[in-house]
Amino acid sequence: GLTMRDVVYLRAYLVPDPQNENRMDFRGWNDAYGQFFNTTENPTKTARSTVAVTGLYDPDLLIEIEAVAVYQQ
């Protein structure tokens, strides 16, 4: 029953994007974040870290995101 409003922390791992001159797509990550956080529907502005890495477990992925949410009873 948790939602994006319950997310308190995100950690994103970005790899070089071959379609972006092998640079990390920080703008794309920030745009995606902005679709779900700090919006009218979800005013939560979570803490987050972004880490540049050389690769992920699936070589076809450009980003991996870990989310920590709090369940309030």
Side-chain angles (χ1 to χ4, degrees):
L2 299 178
T3 69
M4 292 295 197
R5 286 178 177 241
D6 300 306
V7 175
V8 295
Y9 179 74
L10 296 170
R11 181 181 297 118
Y13 300 92
L14 297 180
V15 298
D17 183 353
Q19 296 182 3
N20 189 28
E21 299 176 3
N22 278 333
R23 295 183 304 210
M24 309 323 182
D25 188 4
F26 293 104
R27 175 175 282 165
W29 164 227
N30 286 329
D31 290 347
Y33 172 88
Q35 291 178 27
F36 297 95
F37 298 97
N38 199 26
T39 66
T40 304
E41 299 81 26
N42 179 17
T44 303
K45 188 173 182 181
T46 85
R48 62 183 171 147
S49 299
T50 304
V51 181
V53 296
T54 58
L56 298 170
Y57 74 94
D58 182 337
D60 293 328
L61 297 179
L62 297 175
I63 188 169
E64 180 177 317
I65 302 169
E66 295 176 356
V68 177
V70 174
Y71 178 72
Q72 298 179 14
Q73 295 184 10

